[in-house]
Amino acid sequence: MQRIPALPLDTTDEAVSSLFNAIRQKMGGVPNILRTMAQSPAALEAYLGFSGAIGNGRFTAAQSELAALAAAGENSCDYCASAHSALGKMAGLDQPDMQQVIAGGNLDGGDGAIVTLTRQILNQRGVLSDADVEAFYAAGFDEGHLVELIALTALNIFTNYFNHIAATEIDFPVVSTRAA
């Protein structure tokens, strides 16, 4: 059972209703995490602004989803693993690759470098070595990519922790972060 209830889609709160309408126009619906986050319209608006801005960054949609899946796996967030598996599929990711990333495995090339550095940021609490950063650059990324990956990781920490604390009910096909 959710600890923080989701607001109803037919809320009479004008600020929340406006946000829900904008989300519906972009996504076709309002996921439970966003209905729950709407308990604080300021937090929801901040999340939407941050995710919208970083979504216009240099990573492809698929690369951003790999970072989100790596964070979900590391932080054991089933809601985010489920949501980002659905979004990853829409972005062209293969199911076996997504499952591998969630389970702690890696990928080759630049995608693998994104997954690895996301995990390092999380597990090392942002304290990266020169070798960690150089390995990312050697995979074809630059300082701008690094800054964006830090931002993506921070955004995913927020949603992972939010879902843990809110006990958000999953409204996507369920993907577990626990090994079978």
Side-chain angles (χ1 to χ4, degrees), residues 70-122:
E74 289 300 304
N75 287 324
S76 301
C77 183
D78 290 352
Y79 188 97
C80 287
S82 301
H84 290 288
S85 289
L87 293 168
K89 182 178 179 182
M90 291 173 23
L93 293 175
D94 294 327
Q95 190 65 35
D97 286 347
M98 291 189 290
Q99 289 173 319
Q100 184 172 331
V101 170
I102 292 166
N106 211 346
L107 303 173
D108 294 328
D111 289 348
I114 292 167
V115 169
T116 296
L117 197 62
T118 299
R119 288 189 184 120
Q120 289 171 323
I121 292 168
L122 290 165

Coordinates of all heavy atoms in Angstrom, one line a residue, residues 70-122:
A70 N 20.3 1.5 -15.0 CA 21.4 1.2 -14.2 C 21.2 1.7 -12.8 O 21.4 1.0 -11.8 CB 22.7 1.8 -14.7
A71 N 20.6 3.0 -12.7 CA 20.3 3.5 -11.3 C 19.2 2.7 -10.6 O 19.3 2.4 -9.4 CB 19.9 5.0 -11.5
A72 N 18.2 2.3 -11.4 CA 17.1 1.5 -10.8 C 17.6 0.2 -10.3 O 17.2 -0.2 -9.2 CB 16.0 1.3 -11.8
G73 N 18.5 -0.4 -11.0 CA 19.1 -1.7 -10.5 C 19.9 -1.5 -9.3 O 19.8 -2.3 -8.3
E74 N 20.8 -0.5 -9.3 CA 21.7 -0.2 -8.2 C 20.9 0.1 -6.9 O 21.3 -0.2 -5.8 CB 22.7 0.8 -8.5 CG 23.8 0.4 -9.5 CD 24.6 -0.7 -9.0 OE1 25.2 -0.7 -7.9 OE2 24.6 -1.8 -9.8
N75 N 19.8 0.9 -7.1 CA 19.0 1.4 -6.0 C 17.8 0.5 -5.7 O 17.0 0.8 -4.9 CB 18.6 2.8 -6.2 CG 19.7 3.8 -6.1 OD1 20.6 3.6 -5.3 ND2 19.7 4.8 -6.9
S76 N 17.7 -0.7 -6.4 CA 16.6 -1.6 -6.2 C 15.2 -1.0 -6.2 O 14.4 -1.2 -5.4 CB 16.8 -2.3 -4.8 OG 18.0 -3.0 -4.8
C77 N 15.0 -0.2 -7.3 CA 13.7 0.5 -7.5 C 12.9 -0.2 -8.6 O 13.2 0.0 -9.7 CB 14.0 2.0 -7.8 SG 12.4 2.9 -8.0
D78 N 12.0 -1.0 -8.1 CA 11.2 -1.8 -9.1 C 10.3 -0.8 -9.9 O 10.0 -1.1 -11.1 CB 10.3 -2.8 -8.4 CG 11.1 -4.0 -7.8 OD1 12.4 -4.1 -8.1 OD2 10.6 -4.8 -7.1
Y79 N 9.8 0.2 -9.3 CA 8.9 1.2 -10.1 C 9.7 1.7 -11.2 O 9.3 1.7 -12.4 CB 8.4 2.3 -9.2 CG 7.4 3.1 -10.0 CD1 6.0 2.9 -9.8 CD2 7.8 4.1 -10.9 CE1 5.1 3.6 -10.6 CE2 6.8 4.8 -11.6 CZ 5.5 4.6 -11.5 OH 4.6 5.3 -12.2
C80 N 10.9 2.2 -11.0 CA 11.8 2.8 -12.0 C 12.2 1.8 -13.0 O 12.3 2.0 -14.2 CB 12.9 3.6 -11.5 SG 12.4 5.2 -10.7
A81 N 12.6 0.6 -12.6 CA 12.9 -0.5 -13.5 C 11.8 -0.8 -14.4 O 12.0 -1.0 -15.6 CB 13.4 -1.8 -12.7
S82 N 10.6 -0.8 -13.9 CA 9.4 -1.1 -14.7 C 9.1 0.1 -15.7 O 8.9 -0.2 -16.9 CB 8.2 -1.3 -13.8 OG 8.4 -2.3 -12.9
A83 N 9.1 1.3 -15.2 CA 8.8 2.4 -16.0 C 9.9 2.6 -17.1 O 9.5 2.8 -18.3 CB 8.7 3.7 -15.2
H84 N 11.1 2.5 -16.7 CA 12.2 2.7 -17.7 C 12.4 1.5 -18.7 O 12.9 1.7 -19.8 CB 13.5 3.2 -17.0 CG 13.4 4.5 -16.4 ND1 13.4 5.7 -17.2 CD2 13.2 5.0 -15.2 CE1 13.2 6.7 -16.5 NE2 13.1 6.3 -15.2
S85 N 11.9 0.4 -18.3 CA 11.9 -0.7 -19.2 C 10.9 -0.5 -20.3 O 11.2 -0.7 -21.5 CB 11.6 -2.1 -18.5 OG 12.7 -2.5 -17.7
A86 N 9.7 0.0 -19.9 CA 8.7 0.4 -20.9 C 9.2 1.5 -21.8 O 9.1 1.5 -23.1 CB 7.4 0.8 -20.2
L87 N 9.8 2.6 -21.2 CA 10.3 3.7 -22.0 C 11.5 3.3 -22.8 O 11.7 3.7 -24.0 CB 10.7 4.8 -21.1 CG 9.5 5.5 -20.3 CD1 10.0 6.4 -19.2 CD2 8.6 6.2 -21.3
G88 N 12.4 2.4 -22.3 CA 13.5 1.9 -23.0 C 13.1 1.1 -24.3 O 13.7 1.2 -25.3
K89 N 12.0 0.3 -24.1 CA 11.5 -0.4 -25.3 C 11.0 0.6 -26.4 O 11.3 0.4 -27.6 CB 10.4 -1.3 -24.8 CG 9.8 -2.2 -26.0 CD 8.7 -3.1 -25.4 CE 8.1 -3.9 -26.6 NZ 7.0 -4.7 -26.1
M90 N 10.4 1.6 -25.9 CA 9.9 2.7 -26.9 C 11.1 3.4 -27.5 O 11.0 3.9 -28.7 CB 9.0 3.7 -26.2 CG 7.7 3.1 -25.8 SD 6.6 4.1 -24.8 CE 7.0 5.7 -25.1
A91 N 12.2 3.4 -26.8 CA 13.4 4.1 -27.4 C 14.3 3.1 -28.2 O 15.3 3.5 -28.7 CB 14.2 4.7 -26.2
G92 N 13.8 1.9 -28.3 CA 14.6 0.9 -29.2 C 15.5 0.0 -28.5 O 16.3 -0.7 -29.1
L93 N 15.5 0.0 -27.2 CA 16.4 -0.9 -26.4 C 15.8 -2.4 -26.5 O 14.6 -2.6 -26.5 CB 16.6 -0.5 -25.0 CG 17.3 0.8 -24.8 CD1 17.3 1.2 -23.3 CD2 18.7 0.7 -25.3
D94 N 16.7 -3.3 -26.5 CA 16.4 -4.7 -26.5 C 16.1 -5.2 -25.0 O 16.9 -4.8 -24.1 CB 17.5 -5.6 -27.1 CG 17.7 -5.4 -28.5 OD1 16.7 -5.1 -29.2 OD2 18.9 -5.5 -29.0
Q95 N 15.1 -6.0 -24.8 CA 14.7 -6.5 -23.5 C 15.9 -7.2 -22.8 O 16.2 -7.0 -21.7 CB 13.5 -7.4 -23.6 CG 12.9 -7.8 -22.3 CD 12.4 -6.6 -21.5 OE1 11.8 -5.7 -22.1 NE2 12.5 -6.6 -20.2
P96 N 16.6 -8.1 -23.5 CA 17.8 -8.8 -22.8 C 18.8 -7.8 -22.3 O 19.4 -8.0 -21.2 CB 18.3 -9.7 -23.9 CG 17.2 -10.0 -24.8 CD 16.4 -8.7 -24.9
D97 N 19.1 -6.7 -23.1 CA 20.1 -5.7 -22.7 C 19.6 -5.0 -21.5 O 20.3 -4.7 -20.5 CB 20.4 -4.7 -23.8 CG 21.2 -5.3 -24.9 OD1 21.8 -6.4 -24.7 OD2 21.3 -4.7 -26.0
M98 N 18.3 -4.6 -21.5 CA 17.7 -3.9 -20.3 C 17.8 -4.8 -19.1 O 18.2 -4.3 -18.0 CB 16.3 -3.4 -20.6 CG 16.2 -2.4 -21.7 SD 14.6 -1.6 -21.9 CE 13.7 -2.9 -22.6
Q99 N 17.4 -6.0 -19.2 CA 17.4 -6.9 -18.0 C 18.9 -7.1 -17.5 O 19.1 -7.2 -16.3 CB 16.9 -8.3 -18.4 CG 15.4 -8.3 -18.6 CD 14.8 -9.6 -19.2 OE1 15.4 -10.2 -20.1 NE2 13.7 -10.0 -18.7
Q100 N 19.8 -7.2 -18.4 CA 21.2 -7.3 -18.1 C 21.7 -6.1 -17.2 O 22.4 -6.2 -16.2 CB 22.1 -7.5 -19.3 CG 23.5 -7.7 -19.0 CD 24.3 -8.1 -20.3 OE1 23.8 -8.6 -21.2 NE2 25.6 -7.8 -20.3
V101 N 21.3 -4.9 -17.7 CA 21.7 -3.7 -17.0 C 21.1 -3.6 -15.6 O 21.7 -3.3 -14.6 CB 21.4 -2.4 -17.8 CG1 21.5 -1.2 -17.0 CG2 22.2 -2.4 -19.1
I102 N 19.8 -3.9 -15.5 CA 19.1 -3.9 -14.2 C 19.7 -4.9 -13.3 O 19.9 -4.6 -12.1 CB 17.6 -4.2 -14.4 CG1 16.9 -3.1 -15.2 CG2 16.9 -4.5 -13.1 CD1 15.5 -3.5 -15.7
A103 N 20.1 -6.1 -13.8 CA 20.7 -7.1 -12.9 C 22.2 -6.8 -12.6 O 22.8 -7.6 -11.8 CB 20.6 -8.5 -13.7
G104 N 22.8 -5.8 -13.1 CA 24.1 -5.4 -12.7 C 25.2 -5.8 -13.7 O 26.4 -5.6 -13.5
G105 N 24.7 -6.3 -14.9 CA 25.6 -6.6 -16.0 C 26.0 -5.4 -16.8 O 25.4 -4.3 -16.5
N106 N 26.8 -5.5 -17.7 CA 27.3 -4.4 -18.5 C 27.0 -4.6 -20.0 O 26.7 -5.7 -20.4 CB 28.7 -4.0 -18.2 CG 29.0 -2.6 -18.4 OD1 28.2 -1.8 -18.9 ND2 30.1 -2.1 -17.9
L107 N 27.2 -3.6 -20.7 CA 27.1 -3.6 -22.2 C 28.5 -3.2 -22.8 O 29.3 -2.7 -22.1 CB 26.0 -2.7 -22.7 CG 24.6 -2.9 -22.1 CD1 23.7 -1.8 -22.5 CD2 24.1 -4.3 -22.5
D108 N 28.6 -3.4 -24.1 CA 29.8 -3.0 -24.8 C 29.8 -1.5 -25.2 O 28.7 -0.9 -25.3 CB 30.1 -3.9 -26.0 CG 30.3 -5.3 -25.7 OD1 30.9 -5.6 -24.6 OD2 29.9 -6.2 -26.4
G109 N 31.0 -1.0 -25.5 CA 31.1 0.3 -26.1 C 30.6 1.5 -25.2 O 30.6 1.5 -24.0
G110 N 30.1 2.5 -25.9 CA 29.6 3.7 -25.3 C 28.5 3.5 -24.3 O 28.4 4.1 -23.2
D111 N 27.6 2.6 -24.7 CA 26.4 2.3 -23.8 C 26.9 1.7 -22.5 O 26.5 2.0 -21.4 CB 25.4 1.3 -24.5 CG 24.7 2.0 -25.6 OD1 24.7 3.3 -25.7 OD2 24.0 1.3 -26.4
G112 N 27.9 0.8 -22.6 CA 28.5 0.2 -21.4 C 29.2 1.3 -20.5 O 29.2 1.2 -19.3
A113 N 29.8 2.3 -21.2 CA 30.5 3.3 -20.4 C 29.5 4.2 -19.6 O 29.7 4.6 -18.5 CB 31.3 4.2 -21.4
I114 N 28.3 4.4 -20.2 CA 27.3 5.1 -19.6 C 26.8 4.3 -18.3 O 26.7 4.9 -17.2 CB 26.1 5.4 -20.5 CG1 26.5 6.4 -21.6 CG2 24.9 5.9 -19.8 CD1 25.6 6.5 -22.8
V115 N 26.5 3.1 -18.5 CA 26.1 2.2 -17.4 C 27.1 2.1 -16.3 O 26.8 2.3 -15.1 CB 25.7 0.8 -18.0 CG1 25.5 -0.2 -16.9 CG2 24.5 0.9 -18.9
T116 N 28.4 1.9 -16.7 CA 29.4 1.8 -15.7 C 29.6 3.1 -14.9 O 29.7 3.0 -13.7 CB 30.8 1.4 -16.4 OG1 30.7 0.2 -17.0 CG2 31.9 1.5 -15.4
L117 N 29.6 4.2 -15.6 CA 29.9 5.5 -14.9 C 28.7 5.8 -14.0 O 28.8 6.3 -12.9 CB 30.2 6.6 -15.8 CG 30.9 7.8 -15.1 CD1 32.2 7.4 -14.4 CD2 31.1 9.0 -16.0
T118 N 27.5 5.5 -14.5 CA 26.3 5.7 -13.6 C 26.4 5.0 -12.3 O 26.2 5.5 -11.2 CB 25.0 5.3 -14.4 OG1 24.8 6.1 -15.5 CG2 23.8 5.5 -13.5
R119 N 26.8 3.7 -12.4 CA 27.0 2.9 -11.2 C 28.1 3.4 -10.3 O 28.0 3.4 -9.1 CB 27.3 1.5 -11.6 CG 26.1 0.7 -12.2 CD 26.4 -0.8 -12.3 NE 25.3 -1.4 -12.9 CZ 25.3 -2.1 -14.1 NH1 26.5 -2.2 -14.7 NH2 24.3 -2.6 -14.6
Q120 N 29.2 3.9 -10.9 CA 30.3 4.4 -10.1 C 29.8 5.7 -9.4 O 30.2 5.9 -8.2 CB 31.5 4.7 -11.0 CG 32.1 3.4 -11.5 CD 33.2 3.7 -12.6 OE1 33.1 4.6 -13.4 NE2 34.3 2.9 -12.5
I121 N 29.1 6.6 -10.1 CA 28.6 7.8 -9.4 C 27.8 7.4 -8.2 O 27.9 8.0 -7.1 CB 27.8 8.6 -10.4 CG1 28.7 9.2 -11.5 CG2 27.0 9.8 -9.7 CD1 28.0 9.9 -12.7
L122 N 26.9 6.4 -8.4 CA 26.0 6.0 -7.3 C 26.8 5.3 -6.2 O 26.7 5.7 -5.0 CB 25.0 5.0 -7.8 CG 23.9 5.6 -8.7 CD1 23.1 4.5 -9.4 CD2 22.9 6.5 -7.9

